[in-house]
Amino acid sequence: MRFLVITNLYAPYSKGGAERIAQTVAEELVQQGHTVRVLTTKPAFSGKRHDTINGVVVERYFPPNFCWYGNLGKLPAFLRILWHLKDMLNPFTYIRVKRAIRYANPDAVLTHNVKGIGYTIPRAIRQTGVRHIHTVHDVQLAIPSGLRIYGSEHSWQQEIFLRTWYETLCRWLFSSPDVVLFPSQFLQTFYTERGFFAKSKKITRQNPVTLTHPDPRERTSGDTLHVVYIGQMELHKGIVWFARVFAKWCAQNSPRARLFIFGAGTEFAALKKNYARHAHVQVRGPLAHDRVLTELQKADVVVVPSLCYENTPTVIFEAHAAGVPVMASRIGGIPEIMDERAGDLFFTPQHEQEAMLALEHFLKHPQIYTGSVGAHTAKEYVRKLIPLVADSVK
């Protein structure tokens, strides 16, 4: 079969889990003998327009706007509002997608996050009559930033008429793709309650991950506790808050413990500076995907301290596959993939005492994760994806 994958970011510009999932699915489709083209974005004046990555043909372009999506955070607030409006109604993207479909002649178009490439995409696909399967990764169709922050669910930013207009327009633009995949029940409920995808076939199916099952690190009481964070260094991810809590816990208790922070983002420089000489906190750069396993094998616990309503963070699946328990915020879709009976622990977002108690528990009670991983391998995921296309092809 032939597939066209549309995603706002793709390697080497990937930032988070959504882009990794799009790439994982595209490459697995190629592995199983299918033909795959990707349509994605690039900065205005740099980057390759055409590329081939692991058998996947990648076409990149800059959708005309005030800036590339990857630099959106650098715009002042009033320009960001105009950027979002132009992104939603970009006629250039509408034309470009229809042209890409004519050229690729796909059996199905698989869309992921399209913020920054254009919300006219679903209507362009409908015009061609090609099967459309959309994967939802976050709350971005209802909240422009894609961020719903704990404790601010009813803030003026959430209730302002501009946001509700945005949600209404997105609901109309996206209408009802043939199939919509939700990686968590949390996301499916979130969008169903808001009237999205009324006529679509809706399926809750966890995202694929590259799973390996190495021998987990065996730690005994008295050994140094290795806490690992792998993800974006952004305020909404909670790592700035957690690093501060961890440092405070260390100052109060002088434990044998270390926090290793891996990733990139707007808070990287500040974190690097603040903990440059800290005895218990080390701030590193981003990890190549093939190095994630290496760092997980050194970990005793992985921390996911999100302050925003997450979907199902890929790093949790990866930690479980490596036999590493997770301590995480009880928020969004995270509880759906955690297992306290198997070694995981929750804490309330931004609850300092609960986070410290979880750290104390892992310090005094070394353990490995004993539950199931729960996620699909890429091969299993694609095997279940093909029938959703084959039914329409017949």
Side-chain angles (χ1 to χ4, degrees):
M1 289 184 177
R2 298 178 301 276
F3 291 88
L4 176 65
V5 177
I6 304 178
T7 177
N8 57 1
L9 298 172
Y10 198 83
Y13 302 112
S14 300
K15 285 188 172 183
E19 297 88 68
R20 284 170 56 189
I21 289 158
Q23 184 172 356
T24 296
V25 172
E27 291 180 359
E28 181 59 33
L29 282 166
V30 169
Q31 285 291 316
Q32 295 190 25
H34 303 284
T35 301
V36 181
R37 295 183 67 90
V38 170
L39 182 65
T40 186
T41 70
K42 73 176 193 67
F45 303 110
S46 63
K48 294 181 180 179
R49 293 183 59 190
H50 296 91
D51 201 359
T52 300
I53 302 174
N54 297 328
V56 178
V57 177
V58 182
E59 178 185 353
R60 303 185 185 90
Y61 76 105
F62 172 68
N65 211 324
F66 295 104
C67 73
W68 175 54
Y69 173 66
N71 296 327
L72 179 59
K74 299 178 182 179
L75 284 183
F78 76 95
L79 275 183
R80 284 203 297 271
I81 294 173
L82 296 176
W83 184 97
H84 283 294
L85 182 61
K86 190 170 184 179
D87 179 55
M88 294 175 74
L89 302 173
N90 195 329
F92 182 85
T93 290
Y94 178 86
I95 296 168
R96 189 67 177 255
V97 168
K98 291 186 73 172
R99 188 174 74 185
I101 291 174
R102 285 197 301 270
Y103 182 81
N105 190 26
D107 296 302
V109 179
L110 311 180
T111 55
H112 293 268
N113 279 353
V114 294
K115 170 70 70 180
I117 190 169
Y119 281 4
T120 55
I121 289 172
R123 302 192 77 80
I125 297 171
R126 279 199 301 278
Q127 286 288 317
T128 66
V130 176
R131 185 80 160 170
H132 180 196
I133 300 176
H134 180 65
T135 300
V136 177
H137 292 282
D138 53 34
V139 299
Q140 205 164 57
L141 299 183
I143 302 171
S145 66
L147 302 176
R148 192 182 190 205
I149 304 298
Y150 179 82
S152 301
E153 295 86 348
H154 301 290
S155 65
W156 69 267
Q157 293 97 330
Q158 299 295 315
E159 303 297 337
I160 192 171
F161 70 93
L162 288 174
R163 192 210 60 78
T164 57
W165 286 0
Y166 169 86
E167 180 179 314
T168 300
L169 184 55
C170 283
R171 188 163 49 240
W172 175 75
L173 286 169
F174 269 76
S175 187
S176 297
D178 297 288
V179 180
V180 180
L181 300 177
F182 299 91
S184 66
Q185 187 59 49
F186 155 71
L187 272 185
Q188 181 165 345
T189 300
F190 178 89
Y191 280 107
T192 300
E193 288 178 347
R194 287 160 176 77
F196 278 82
F197 315 123
K199 298 179 181 179
S200 299
K201 180 176 183 178
K202 294 185 276 288
I203 300 172
T204 299
R205 181 172 297 166
Q206 289 178 346
N207 284 323
V209 293
T210 304
L211 299 176
T212 53
H213 298 270
D215 293 330
R217 167 184 150 138
E218 295 285 354
R219 177 178 155 266
T220 58
S221 182
D223 287 349
T224 299
L225 174 69
H226 286 204
V227 183
V228 172
Y229 171 86
I230 301 174
Q232 297 178 45
M233 295 189 196
E234 304 290 347
L235 288 174
H236 64 268
K237 291 296 185 178
I239 185 56
V240 174
W241 168 81
F242 182 79
R244 187 166 58 247
V245 170
F246 186 88
K248 183 177 178 179
W249 176 65
C250 290
Q252 292 175 350
N253 299 279
S254 299
R256 294 174 60 87
R258 298 288 185 275
L259 170 62
F260 298 89
I261 303 174
F262 296 95
T266 58
E267 298 300 319
F268 174 76
L271 283 167
K272 189 77 172 174
K273 179 181 177 181
N274 291 342
Y275 298 99
R277 299 180 181 276
H278 201 281
H280 297 276
V281 180
Q282 294 188 28
V283 180
R284 309 283 181 84
L287 283 176
H289 189 257
D290 58 0
R291 284 197 56 219
V292 171
L293 175 61
T294 301
E295 296 304 328
L296 287 176
Q297 286 180 293
K298 302 174 186 176
D300 299 307
V301 59
V302 166
V303 63
V304 183
S306 293
L307 309 183
C308 65
Y309 283 76
E310 293 273 12
N311 177 22
T312 50
T314 302
V315 71
I316 294 179
F317 293 120
E318 292 171 331
H320 287 168
V324 181
V326 177
M327 56 179 288
S329 301
R330 188 186 294 274
I331 193 169
I334 291 176
E336 298 178 37
I337 58 174
M338 297 270 285
D339 189 349
E340 290 181 289
R341 295 169 300 178
D344 293 331
L345 284 179
F346 289 106
F347 54 87
T348 303
Q350 286 189 307
H351 197 295
E352 183 177 293
Q353 185 177 10
E354 289 184 14
M356 287 185 177
L357 287 174
L359 288 168
E360 196 70 28
H361 170 83
F362 285 112
L363 179 67
K364 294 180 177 178
H365 305 285
Q367 62 190 101
I368 61 173
Y369 178 78
T370 58
S372 64
V373 175
H376 294 289
T377 64
K379 179 180 282 189
E380 292 169 334
Y381 185 90
V382 167
R383 181 173 56 81
K384 293 183 178 182
L385 177 68
I386 295 301
L388 299 177
V389 181
D391 288 345
S392 67
V393 172
K394 292 176 183 178

